[in-house]
């Protein structure tokens, strides 16, 4: 009984760490290896792992329109999101800020869901997105006032847009597709797209040194397959609200990990912005502690996404 009582808290802590680690490892990997190379090998490793899982689970191979929709989802949720996010961190966007910006995607999904899926919209997503955007502004205002580079910050914003579009597309067209089939198609599609694009991008074809290989293996195995597995165990034991709340903790966790691992400074402005954005995320997703009723949130956890 005691071990069972601690299972969910331990898995929850592990999930937050694994999710946040993607942003940290992406920053480390792109310091020595080109972004297309990191992405290509991430998808190669992830495709191998998820392919083995699919072979064991035997969910059936999607065909026709279902397969076509999964390909589109892969272009949005995998190729689009990670190309923008990884390029952003490679050009100097802090890992914590990247995680913070991408973490606003579920709130944007909540705002757009009524238009795409014809469901009712409450005030919480609107208020939460405004508060969250305010938190992001507080974090980046130092660079804006100091004349720092603003252009690279738009890359994680683009990644957030891809994540939002991919989540809505996934929910609209692939909601009934078995998870194992959905993920393996997305990973294989992304691997093929990167393989076709690589000759035109003229990158290095192999990661640099043992550290580069370790990074892509971590991104493909631990951060993709591992995070995904832990997430679904939690979804079986708890509601989507619980997982949404854990995702909200990712920006702060990433920022804290970035201090010793990436030597990124944690300024008072960044702490204040993270705190404001965290409040916005909890309000927008209906996970604020005062709300004790069981309210399911339809916004979060796109299949296979942001296991960076």
């Amino acid at each position: 009984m005691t071990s069972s009582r601690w299972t969910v808290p331990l898995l929850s802590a592990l999930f937050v760490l694994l999710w946040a680690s993607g942003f940290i490892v992406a920053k480390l990997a792109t310091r020595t290896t080109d972004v297309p190379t990191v992405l290509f090998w991430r998808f190669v490793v992830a495709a191998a792992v998820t392919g083995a899982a699919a072979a064991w689970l035997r969910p059936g191979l999607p065909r026709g329109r279902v397969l076509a929709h999964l390909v589109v989802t892969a272009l949005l949720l995998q190729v689009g999101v990670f190309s923008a996010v990884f390029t952003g961190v490679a050009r100097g966007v802090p890992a914590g800020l990247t995680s913070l910006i991408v973490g606003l995607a579920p709130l944007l999904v909540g705002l757009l869901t009524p238009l795409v899926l014809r469901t009712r919209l409450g005030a919480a997503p609107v208020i939460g997105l405004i508060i969250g955007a305010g938190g992001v502004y507080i974090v980046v205002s130092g660079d804006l006032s100091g004349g720092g580079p603003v252009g690279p910050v738009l890359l994680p914003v683009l990644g957030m847009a891809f994540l939002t579009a991919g989540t809505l597309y996934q929910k609209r067209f692939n909601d009934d597709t078995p998870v194992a089939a959905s993920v393996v198609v997305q990973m294989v599609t992304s691997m093929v797209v990167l393989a076709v694009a690589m000759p035109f991008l003229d990158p290095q074809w192999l990661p640099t040194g043992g550290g580069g290989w370790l990074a892509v293996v971590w991104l493909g195995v631990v951060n993709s397959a591992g995070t995904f597995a832990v997430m679904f165990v939690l979804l079986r034991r708890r509601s989507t609200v619980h997982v949404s709340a854990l995702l909200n903790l990712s920006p702060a966790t990433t920022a804290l990990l970035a201090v010793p691992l990436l030597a990124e400074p944690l300024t008072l402005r960044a702490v204040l912005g993270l705190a404001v954005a965290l409040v916005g995320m909890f309000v927008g997703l209906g996970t604020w502690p005062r709300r004790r009723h069981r309210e399911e949130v339809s916004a979060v956890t796109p299949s296979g996404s942001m296991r960076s």
Side-chain angles (χ1 to χ4, degrees):
M1 294 296 291
T2 303
S3 60
S4 177
R5 183 179 63 182
W6 286 100
T7 297
V8 170
L10 290 175
L11 286 176
S12 299
L14 178 62
F15 175 75
V16 173
L17 288 174
L18 291 180
W19 183 280
S21 74
F23 298 96
I24 302 295
V25 177
K27 189 84 169 180
L28 293 171
T30 54
R31 284 178 174 177
T32 59
T33 305
D34 295 332
V35 171
T37 305
V38 174
L39 290 178
F40 172 69
W41 285 102
R42 173 196 184 275
F43 290 131
V44 168
V45 174
V49 174
T50 56
W56 178 56
L57 297 173
R58 297 184 179 181
L61 182 65
R63 302 177 184 276
R65 287 187 177 181
V66 175
L67 181 60
H69 286 315
L70 286 175
V71 170
V72 174
T73 303
L75 295 177
L76 293 171
L77 281 183
Q78 303 297 330
V79 179
V81 171
F82 292 113
S83 295
V85 169
F86 279 45
T87 304
V89 298
R91 294 187 180 181
V93 183
L97 177 58
T98 301
S99 177
L100 177 59
I101 293 173
V102 174
L104 293 177
L107 301 184
L108 191 55
V109 169
L111 287 176
L112 297 177
T113 293
L115 300 177
V116 178
L117 304 178
R118 298 179 181 179
T119 59
R120 296 181 61 185
L121 173 66
V126 180
I127 298 173
L129 188 61
I130 293 174
I131 298 174
V136 173
Y137 179 78
I138 291 173
V139 176
V140 303
S141 59
D143 289 333
L144 295 176
S145 61
V150 179
V153 176
L154 298 178
L155 288 165
V157 174
L158 180 62
M160 180 187 66
F162 275 122
L163 181 57
T164 301
T167 301
L168 291 170
Y169 194 93
Q170 167 80 12
K171 199 163 186 63
R172 174 67 176 84
F173 296 105
N174 302 321
D175 216 24
D176 297 329
T177 306
V179 172
S182 176
V183 175
V184 72
V185 170
Q186 288 186 42
M187 296 303 174
V188 171
T189 298
S190 303
M191 179 185 67
V192 172
V193 169
L194 263 296
V196 172
M198 288 279 278
F200 300 97
L201 301 174
D202 193 29
Q204 60 198 87
W205 276 90
L206 297 176
T208 303
W213 283 108
L214 181 61
V216 296
V217 169
W218 180 279
L219 292 171
V221 177
V222 179
N223 193 242
S224 294
T227 307
F228 197 74
V230 174
M231 182 186 74
F232 273 88
V233 172
L234 287 172
L235 286 174
R236 287 183 178 180
R237 292 173 175 264
R238 292 292 185 268
S239 67
T240 55
V241 173
H242 179 81
V243 176
S244 300
L246 296 178
L247 291 173
N248 291 342
L249 299 175
S250 176
T253 304
T254 303
L256 291 174
L257 291 175
V259 175
L261 298 178
L262 302 176
E264 291 184 357
L266 190 61
T267 63
L268 180 61
R269 187 193 304 272
V271 172
L272 178 60
L274 283 168
V276 172
L278 187 64
V279 171
M281 291 176 185
F282 273 93
V283 170
L285 293 172
T287 54
W288 192 247
R290 289 182 302 173
R291 302 184 64 175
R292 304 295 295 179
H293 58 84
R294 296 181 179 179
E295 178 183 354
E296 291 295 324
V297 179
S298 61
V300 207
T301 61
S303 292
S305 70
M306 236 19 217
R307 320 296 181 264
S308 311

